[in-house]
Each structure stands twice: as structure tokens, then as C-alpha cells.
């Protein structure tokens, strides 16, 4: 599945994603997934997003960037499986 979060500048899109991924410690409440409290580990395994501050290599295509990110995030699975998920 793919989800797009869209909104004007300053509407909190990045803040929401940082809270959901538990990269931001400055929030209160709980993040749940499938009716269970989600840990940073479970969220990391189930989802991912490219931060707007990430640096891109100008010689790579968007698909090559996604494949590179998948390879780095999914170190415990084969490269072929990671590429098939891109």
C-alpha cells in the first residue's frame, strides 16, 4: 500500500510522520498499530518514509534512490526481495 500525506507548508506533515515513526520525543500520547502499542522497532519494520532533509545523489534516478534506501533499511533480507518491494 502507498499513502500520501499532503498539505500546505507548515501544516505539520513532517511532525506527524516523525511522531508516528517515533523519531520525535516531544509528543504525548501513544502510537498504536493494529490495536497494539507500536514500538519504534515495529513501526520501522512496517513502514518507512523519506525525510525532506535527506540528501540525494544527483546521478541516481528516483528508482535507484528507492532501491538504495530499501537495501539499507532491509539488511536482513536478500537484495532481490528488497528490490521487489520497491
Amino acid at each position: 500500500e502507498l499513502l500520501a500525506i499532503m498539505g500546505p507548508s507548515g501544516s505539520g506533515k513532517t511532525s506527524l510522520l516523525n511522531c508516528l515513526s517515533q523519531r520525535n520525543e516531544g509528543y504525548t500520547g501513544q502510537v498504536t498499530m493494529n490495536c497494539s502499542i507500536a514500538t519504534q522497532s515495529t513501526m520501522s519494520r512496517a513502514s518507512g518514509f523519506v525525510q525532506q532533509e535527506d540528501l540525494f545523489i544527483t546521478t541516481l534516478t528516483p528508482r535507484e534512490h528507492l532501491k538504495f534506501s530499501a537495501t539499507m533499511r532491509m539488511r536482513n533480507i536478500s537484495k532481490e526481495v528488497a528490490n521487489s518491494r520497491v
Side-chain angles (χ1 to χ4, degrees):
E1 289 185 42
L2 177 69
L3 171 71
I5 299 176
M6 300 170 56
S9 179
S11 64
K13 300 174 298 292
T14 302
S15 296
L16 171 65
L17 291 172
N18 283 332
C19 287
L20 290 175
S21 66
Q22 300 178 13
R23 293 180 184 177
N24 181 359
E25 307 238 345
Y27 71 92
T28 59
Q30 295 177 332
V31 175
T32 60
M33 181 171 60
N34 297 329
C35 300
S36 298
I37 295 175
T39 65
Q40 188 173 17
S41 175
T42 58
M43 287 301 290
S44 179
R45 278 183 273 137
S47 65
F49 73 97
V50 178
Q51 296 188 52
Q52 61 189 14
E53 295 88 16
D54 279 353
L55 298 175
F56 295 103
I57 303 167
T58 57
T59 56
L60 295 181
T61 66
R63 179 172 298 280
E64 289 170 331
H65 275 283
L66 291 172
K67 285 184 177 182
F68 176 76
S69 294
T71 301
M72 297 304 291
R73 286 182 48 85
M74 299 182 236
R75 295 176 189 223
N76 297 331
I77 63 174
S78 72
K79 191 173 187 177
E80 292 76 24
V81 172
N83 285 337
S84 73
R85 294 184 181 180
V86 172

